[in-house]
Amino acid sequence: MKKVYERNNIAFDMPSPYCPGCGHGVIHRLVIDAIKEAGQEDNTIFMAPVGCSILAYTYLDLDICQPAHGRTPAAATGIKRALPDSLVVLYQGDGDLAAIGTAEIIHAANRGENITAIFVNNAIYGMTGGQMAPTTLKGQKATTCPFGRSPEDGQGYPIRVCELLQSLGGVTYAARTSVHTAPNVLKTKKAIQTGIENQMEKKGFSIIEILSACPVNWGLSPQKSNEFIANEMIGYFPLGDFKKDGKIIQRSDH
Amino acid sequence: MEHKIIFAGFGGQGVISMGTLMAYAAMAENKNVTFYPAYGIAMRGGTANCSVIISDDPVASPVIAFPNILVVMNEPSLDCFTDRLQEGGTLLANSSLIRKKAARKDIRSFYIPVNDIAEELGDSRMANMAMVGSLLKIMNTVTLSTVFQTMKKTFSPKLLKVIDINQEAMKKGFHAVQL
Amino acid sequence: MGEKQLMKGNEAIAEAAIRAGMTCYFGYPITPQNEIPAYMAKHLTIRGGTFIQAESEIAAINMVYGAACTGARAMTSSSSPGISLKQEGISYLVGARLPAVIVNIARGGPGLGNIAPSQADYFQAVKGGGHGDYHMVVYTPETVQEAADLTMKAFDVADEYRNPVLILGDAILGQMMEPLVFKEPSGKKFDKSSWTLGNRKGRKSHLINSLSLTEGVVEQWNWELKKKFDLMAERELMVEEYMVEDADVIFVAYGTTARICRSVVHQTRKQGMKTGLIRPITVWPFPTETIAGHAEKTKHFFVVEMSLGQMIEDVRLAILGNAKIHFHGRPGGGIPAEADILKQLKAILQS
C-alpha cells in the first residue's frame, strides 16, 4: 500500500502532550512540515517560551531555546543577530506575545528582525488554567473574568495583533489564519511557508497569527470549540493577509 | 607632589575641557591622574565642575573633598567652592566675570581677567585656555609645551583649525600671572 | 603592552569587552552608564559586532540570553533601576547555564533615586537579586585600569562556568577618567559545541532551558549548580590586603570606598596610627577566610560603604564576634568623606 502520510521525523515518536481538540498539535505539525520541506531542520532554532508551547520541546527534534515569558522576540533577536543564517521560528501564545511581551514583539517587528513568529491565538491562558488573555473576546468567560470580559468595566478590548503590527516598517508579512477546518489548516500551512520563505530570503519580520481552540479552558467540546472559532472569533479576528511583501493590504472588514 | 584641583564655572565656559586637557597633559608627563566630572544633565548655561588629581604616587581616593587648587570661572562657583579650599591652598579666579575678592586670608589668590585676555585675541570662548595657562604657571608641574603637544593629539578637527590662537591665549594667561 | 590611554571607566569597560571578543552588546540608555552603549554603537559595529539599543533593559538582557545561546560572547550594561529590571533575565541565564557579562554602574536609590554613585546594590548583586538559588561572580573594580582588566577576565570566567558574571561599579568608576593600558586578552578558548544552538548538522539537537515539570529534575539541576558555585567560590576569589599585618584597625571596603579608605590609611599611617585595608575585589565570592584570619589579632574592623550597610553583614559573618565592627555609610548617592571617617577612626582608637 502506498504511504500517503507519515510522522514527520522532527517530531519524536510519542503521544502529543496536548489536550483533545487543542490546536497546538496541528500547528506544530504544520510548522515542522514547513521547516522540513524547506530543508531547514538542521538550521532551525525553535523558540518555545512560556505557556502550553513549552511542551513543544518535549517532542520536537530541533535546537530549541526556551526564553522567559514574553521575551521571545528579544531572545530571538539575540540569536538571529549572532547567527544571521539560521532559521529562527518563534512560537508564542497570546499571553506571551500580546500581554507580557507586547513591547518585545512590537520592537522586534519594528526593527524588521528577520525572524518568523507563529502566534497562536486561542483567546485564553491555557497552561495556567484558563485566565483572561489579551485576546479574550468581549463577553467570553475566563477564571479572571468570570462574568464575561467587559471592556466597559475596565478589562480592556481584545487586541488584534495583525492589525496592530501591520503599520510597522519592519514587518514584511502579517497574516491571520485558523485551524478549525481542513481548508483553513491548508491555508495556515501556506502562510507558515510564506513566513519561513520570507526569512530565508531575508525579507524581515513575518507574523502568522493562528486562531486555535482551547476546548478544556473554554469549557466546550472540540466540535463546539471549532464552531466557536467560526461563529465568534473570526467575526472579531478576520482571516487573511494584512501585509504582504511589505505592503499593507487594504481591507474592508473594519 | 599631589595637586587636587577643582574647576568650576557655567556650562559652556569649557570647564570640563580644562580638566580633561590637564589630565591628558599630566598623563603625558607620566604623572598619576584621575579626572572626575560632574555629569548627566550639566548642560550649557547650568553649572559645571570637575575634579582633577595629579600626583607622583598612585591616586587613592578620586573624590576631592578639599582641593588645594580651585579654579573658578564665575562668581557662583567662587561662592560655592571657596570654603572647601585647603588652608594655604591656591585660588584662581576669572576676574573678568568675578568682581569681588574671596573673603579668606589663609589662601593664595590670583585674579586673572581671562575673558578679557581671550577677547583681545578675538573670542571670549578661549577664556578657559587662558586660565589653563595661568594654572600651569602657578602649578609648575606640567609644562606649556606638553600641553601644546596634548592639544594637537586631543583636539577635534574643528578645534585644530584654531589651535594656534588657543595656544596664544594660553601663553597670555601664563604670562598674566606674576609669582 | 599597548599605549597608555586616558579613558572614562565606562569607555574602558566597553573597549576591554570588545578586545575580549565580545561580539553582541544590547543596552538601554540610563545615566551614569550611557558611555558604554554609545561606545559600542560606534566601535563595536565598526569592528563587525552587533549593537542594539533595545526597547528596555528587560529586552536587552533577553537579547543577551539569545546571543549567548549561540555561543557568542554577549554583554549588557545598565545602572541600578535598569539592573533591577534585568533580574529575571539574570536568573534565567543561571538557570539555563548561559555565560554573559552584566555591568552595573550603580547610582543612588531606592526608586529612581539620583545619578550619584552608590553601593546600595550590594545585596542585589551578591545575594541573588532574581529568584531561585543562584550565585554569580561579582567583580568590584576600583580604578579604570582594573575595570578594564576585570572586564576581560569576566568573559573568561563566564565561559568557564557557563554562568553570568557581574561587574559592579558605581558612577564614579563609570565617569572618571584615568590612564590605562589594555592588557592582551587571555586568548583562552572554550569549546561550547556540546550545548550551543544553531548549525545542528551531524549532532543531536540541543535544548537551552531552565524548566522541568518532572519531579526531582530541577532539584538535581540545583545540586549540579551548587557544585559549580562551590568551584567558583574556591577558585575565583580576589582580595587585596593592604598594610594589614600590624594594623590596629582594618578597613573593609570595595570599589570607590576602598580608595577613600586607602587615602585615610595613608594619612593615618603618616600620623603613626596603624591602619590597614582589606579590599574585596570579588564581593561574591566574599573573602570570608581572609577577614576571619585577621580577626584573630586585629580588634577593630571598620566597614565603609556608600549605603546604609550591606556588605557589613558579610563582614559580621566572617568575624563571628571575634572583633569589634564599626561602620560608616552614606546612602542615596552620598560619598563618605575622609574627614568624617578619620574622626570616627580616632574615636575608635581612643576607646
Side-chain angles (χ1 to χ4, degrees):
Chain A
M1 197 169 71
K2 195 186 166 206
K3 205 181 245 183
V4 293
Y5 195 72
E6 62 182 333
R7 182 173 60 83
N8 180 325
N9 65 358
I10 290 177
F12 294 119
D13 189 3
M14 60 181 280
S16 158
Y18 294 109
C19 307
C22 168
H24 276 304
V26 175
I27 299 166
H28 279 8
R29 172 74 198 222
L30 298 178
V31 173
I32 61 176
D33 281 355
I35 290 169
K36 197 174 171 70
E37 285 157 21
Q40 293 291 305
E41 56 265 54
D42 283 343
N43 193 38
T44 297
I45 298 171
F46 188 88
M47 312 287 298
V50 176
C52 288
S53 61
I54 57 165
L55 299 171
Y57 54 65
T58 60
Y59 75 102
L60 293 188
D61 189 12
L62 292 169
D63 273 6
I64 295 181
C65 171
Q66 176 244 319
H69 195 18
R71 316 304 170 213
T72 324
T77 297
I79 289 177
K80 187 69 181 186
R81 294 292 186 107
L83 286 179
D85 294 328
S86 59
L87 182 77
V88 178
V89 179
L90 293 68
Y91 192 92
Q92 298 187 260
D94 38 47
D96 198 69
L97 183 139
I100 194 168
T102 318
E104 283 79 2
I105 197 71
I106 285 179
H107 287 276
N110 191 50
R111 286 191 301 267
E113 295 297 339
N114 188 31
I115 54 181
T116 308
I118 310 296
F119 168 40
V120 180
N121 176 0
N122 58 15
I124 200 103
Y125 281 75
M127 176 61 88
T128 46
Q131 293 83 3
M132 185 182 80
T135 50
T136 294
L137 293 177
K138 199 172 162 179
Q140 188 185 340
K141 288 179 181 167
T143 62
T144 49
C145 55
F147 311 112
R149 183 179 196 169
S150 168
E152 295 76 16
D153 293 332
Q155 292 172 325
Y157 294 85
I159 293 177
R160 295 184 179 103
V161 168
C162 282
E163 289 85 334
L164 189 68
L165 295 185
Q166 66 176 355
S167 71
L168 302 175
V171 176
T172 187
Y173 179 58
R176 186 181 290 119
T177 66
S178 171
V179 289
H180 71 295
T181 65
N184 279 293
V185 168
L186 293 175
K187 283 184 192 165
T188 300
K189 170 81 181 290
K190 189 86 195 71
I192 293 169
Q193 284 172 326
T194 304
I196 286 175
E197 284 160 14
N198 286 342
Q199 187 177 160
M200 292 168 69
E201 291 164 16
K202 302 195 188 301
K203 284 186 176 171
F205 183 88
S206 297
I207 181 164
I208 299 96
E209 174 177 348
I210 304 167
L211 305 184
S212 173
C214 183
V216 169
N217 285 304
W218 289 355
L220 298 172
S221 69
Q223 291 83 356
K224 291 278 179 201
S225 294
N226 284 337
E227 286 167 23
F228 181 81
I229 293 176
N231 300 331
E232 307 290 335
M233 285 185 83
I234 290 173
Y236 190 83
F237 297 114
L239 304 182
D241 291 346
F242 290 80
K243 201 168 192 184
K244 201 161 188 192
D245 292 325
K247 288 195 183 66
I248 294 175
I249 310 290
Q250 296 303 323
R251 301 170 58 107
S252 54
D253 2 58
H254 38 59
Chain B
M1 180 280 301
E2 184 171 72
H3 296 294
K4 293 184 172 182
I5 316 165
I6 288 181
F7 297 89
F10 290 127
Q13 280 188 305
V15 166
I16 303 292
S17 311
M18 292 163 82
T20 48
L21 182 58
M22 286 306 297
Y24 275 111
M27 181 179 78
E29 294 208 356
N30 283 317
K31 307 290 181 201
N32 292 288
V33 62
T34 293
F35 163 89
Y36 180 54
Y39 53 87
I41 49 172
M43 296 289 184
R44 194 175 296 269
T47 58
N49 70 79
C50 63
S51 309
V52 177
I53 301 175
I54 299 170
S55 175
D56 288 329
D57 299 316
V59 179
S61 173
V63 182
I64 303 179
F66 305 106
N68 54 14
I69 300 177
L70 174 64
V71 179
V72 288
M73 296 295 281
N74 65 353
E75 204 161 298
S77 300
L78 180 90
D79 295 339
C80 177
F81 288 100
T82 305
D83 284 351
R84 281 168 59 181
L85 192 57
Q86 286 177 23
E87 205 180 306
T90 306
L91 170 74
L92 285 79
N94 173 9
S95 57
S96 303
L97 299 182
I98 302 171
R99 299 297 175 197
K100 65 182 176 192
K101 304 281 184 216
R104 287 178 59 176
K105 301 288 172 223
D106 60 340
I107 57 173
R108 268 201 317 170
S109 300
F110 296 89
Y111 298 91
I112 312 118
V114 288
N115 275 65
D116 296 278
I117 293 173
E119 268 164 34
E120 278 169 30
L121 290 168
D123 192 339
S124 66
R125 284 178 300 178
M126 297 186 301
N128 63 337
M129 292 295 124
M131 186 57 101
V132 167
S134 304
L135 177 64
L136 292 175
K137 176 107 173 242
I138 291 163
M139 277 175 64
N140 195 26
T141 305
V142 177
T143 66
L144 258 182
S145 69
T146 302
V147 176
F148 287 178
Q149 291 296 322
T150 303
M151 290 164 85
K152 278 186 205 154
K153 281 191 198 155
T154 59
F155 269 27
S156 65
K158 200 178 100 188
L159 276 174
L160 277 175
K161 287 183 197 154
V162 291
I163 193 166
D164 291 344
I165 192 84
N166 274 280
Q167 290 178 350
E168 195 56 37
M170 201 174 286
K171 279 187 209 163
K172 290 215 177 240
F174 189 92
H175 294 298
V177 175
Q178 301 300 322
L179 292 177
Chain C
M1 294 291 270
E3 194 190 341
K4 198 190 267 187
Q5 305 181 47
L6 190 69
M7 277 183 127
K8 276 195 172 193
N10 282 335
E11 293 167 340
I13 287 169
E15 175 62 28
I18 298 171
R19 290 181 187 224
M22 185 275 302
T23 54
C24 295
Y25 173 91
F26 311 98
Y28 185 84
I30 181 169
T31 308
Q33 63 83 56
N34 290 320
E35 291 81 2
I36 300 179
Y39 195 93
M40 297 300 186
K42 190 171 175 186
H43 298 273
L44 178 60
T45 48
I46 287 171
R47 280 134 92 172
T50 293
F51 163 82
I52 296 178
Q53 179 172 324
E55 58 271 29
S56 68
E57 285 91 348
I58 298 172
I61 189 78
N62 284 283
M63 289 175 186
V64 166
Y65 182 98
C69 283
T70 70
R73 282 191 158 176
M75 170 184 179
T76 185
S77 63
S78 189
S79 179
S80 309
I83 297 291
S84 294
L85 283 171
K86 292 184 194 291
Q87 294 303 319
E88 176 200 42
I90 294 171
S91 171
Y92 271 71
L93 285 165
V94 178
R97 281 152 292 165
L98 289 171
V101 173
I102 300 131
V103 179
N104 180 4
I105 300 300
R107 57 187 254 179
L112 198 50
N114 56 22
I115 57 172
S118 171
Q119 294 180 323
D121 297 353
Y122 180 91
F123 283 152
Q124 185 196 57
V126 308
K127 307 293 180 190
H131 59 283
D133 258 331
Y134 76 86
H135 289 290
M136 54 184 165
V137 173
V138 180
Y139 292 112
T140 56
E142 63 162 1
T143 61
V144 170
Q145 178 72 58
E146 197 174 55
D149 297 348
L150 290 175
T151 300
M152 286 187 179
K153 186 176 170 65
F155 283 96
D156 282 350
V157 170
D159 277 348
E160 176 148 4
Y161 298 96
R162 284 178 63 187
N163 202 63
V165 172
L166 182 76
I167 294 170
L168 179 61
D170 62 56
I172 291 181
L173 182 79
Q175 293 299 322
M176 72 181 168
M177 286 205 297
E178 290 184 326
L180 84 160
V181 176
F182 286 104
K183 303 206 167 101
E184 283 300 314
S186 73
K188 280 187 200 165
K189 294 275 176 263
F190 296 88
D191 182 8
K192 303 182 180 180
S193 61
S194 65
W195 57 269
T196 48
L197 304 184
N199 305 317
R200 192 187 62 153
K201 204 159 186 61
R203 64 162 167 81
K204 283 189 173 174
S205 42
H206 291 160
L207 168 65
I208 290 187
N209 177 25
S210 60
L211 174 102
S212 173
L213 300 177
T214 308
E215 195 185 330
V217 172
V218 174
E219 181 177 357
Q220 187 50 39
W221 287 347
N222 270 274
W223 288 119
E224 284 162 26
L225 284 176
K226 184 186 183 302
K227 280 185 207 159
K228 187 168 83 174
F229 299 148
D230 288 347
L231 212 58
M232 281 153 53
E234 189 187 312
R235 292 185 189 159
E236 301 306 330
L237 176 74
M238 289 176 75
V239 58
E240 181 195 355
E241 294 164 80
Y242 186 67
M243 302 186 130
V244 287
E245 282 316 315
D246 61 341
D248 295 323
V249 180
I250 295 179
F251 287 104
V252 186
Y254 65 93
T256 295
T257 44
R259 292 182 68 161
I260 295 169
C261 290
R262 198 186 300 275
S263 278
V264 177
V265 170
H266 291 166
Q267 284 179 52
T268 50
R269 284 268 168 184
K270 273 184 209 160
Q271 297 167 24
M273 287 178 265
K274 289 177 180 166
T275 54
L277 167 68
I278 293 177
R279 176 172 76 94
I281 300 171
T282 53
V283 285
W284 197 95
F286 191 74
T288 307
E289 300 299 322
T290 313
I291 293 169
H294 289 286
E296 288 166 12
K297 53 182 195 297
T298 300
K299 288 206 178 63
H300 297 280
F301 285 76
F302 193 165
V303 179
V304 181
E305 296 182 69
M306 290 191 284
S307 76
L308 289 172
Q310 301 193 6
M311 183 182 68
I312 190 172
E313 295 193 0
D314 287 330
V315 176
R316 261 189 215 122
L317 286 170
I319 287 176
L320 290 172
N322 290 324
K324 280 192 176 158
I325 302 175
H326 311 272
F327 180 71
H328 182 87
R330 292 280 304 274
I335 302 170
E338 288 168 41
D340 294 337
I341 298 169
L342 201 58
K343 204 166 132 190
Q344 205 174 328
L345 177 73
K346 283 180 177 162
I348 292 165
L349 286 168
Q350 280 159 14
S351 67

